[in-house]
Amino acid sequence: MFNKKTGLFAIIFLLGFASFGAMNAFFSYTNTTEFCTSCHSMKVNLAEYQETVHYKNASGVRAECADCHVPKEFFPKLKAKIIAAKDVYHEFIGDFAVSDEIKNDPELYLEHYNKHRWAMANAVWDKMRASDSRECKTCHSFAAMDFEEQGKSAARKHPRVMESGDKTCIDCHSGIAHMEPDDPSL
C-alpha cells in the first residue's frame, strides 16, 4: 500500500503535471492570430498583416502573430507572455486612451493609432534587436538561403551580414509585416 510520503509525492506530481498541461493549453490559445487580433487595438495590425507576404504568398506558408512576436523557448516565452499581459489588461480596462467616438470612426481611430505607432514599433524592434531577431530565425536562416535566387540587393547584402554579424533581420526588414511608421523627428 501507499504510505503518506508516496501519496503526497503522487499528488504533487499530478498537480504539477496538470498545471503544466493547463499552462501549455493557455499558451497555445493565446498564441493564435485570432486571439492576438481579437482586441480592438489590434485591428490596424491585422489589416496590414493581411496585405503582406507573411500572410499570403506563393508557397502557401503563413507566419502567424506568435511566429514573429513570441519566442519558442519556454522561459523567453513566459517572459513575453507576462509582458503581453499588461497590454491585455489595458485593453480590458479600456485605457488604450480611445473614446467610443474614436473607436467607432475608422479615420479617427487610425489617426489616434498613428500617434502611437512610432513608439510601439520601436518597442518591438528593440526587443527583436535584443534577441538578434530570434523569432525571424526560426523560419529564415542564412544557411538555407539561395543567394542566386534573391534579388540583386539582397544577394549582395545577406552574405555580408552573415559574415560580419553586425546587423540583425529587423535592421533591414522593419516594415515587412506591418506598415513602417514615419520617424516623427524627420
Side-chain angles (χ1 to χ4, degrees), residues 4 47 55 68 79 113 127 140 154-155 159:
K4 286 184 181 180
Y55 183 79
C68 300
K79 180 181 176 185
Y113 185 87
K127 180 182 146 210
H140 304 278

Side-chain angles (χ1 to χ4, degrees), residues 83-101:
I83 292 168
K86 155 190 74 67
D87 299 329
V88 173
Y89 168 77
H90 287 287
E91 184 76 31
F92 276 121
I93 64 170
D95 72 346
F96 183 65
V98 294
S99 65
D100 285 339
E101 177 188 358

Side-chain angles (χ1 to χ4, degrees), residues 48-63:
E48 291 174 355
Y49 159 69
Q50 289 174 330
E51 297 299 319
T52 70
V53 69
H54 280 110
Y55 183 79
K56 189 172 185 176
N57 55 66
S59 67
V61 176
R62 180 174 291 164

Side-chain angles (χ1 to χ4, degrees), residues 31-48:
N31 274 357
T32 64
T33 296
E34 293 73 27
F35 176 84
C36 294
T37 59
S38 64
C39 293
H40 189 81
S41 60
M42 290 290 118
K43 299 303 180 197
V44 173
N45 300 67
L46 176 61
E48 291 174 355

Side-chain angles (χ1 to χ4, degrees), residues 101-111:
E101 177 188 358
I102 291 174
K103 271 187 191 175
N104 296 325
D105 183 325
E107 285 186 35
L108 285 176
Y109 185 79
L110 188 57
E111 182 181 325

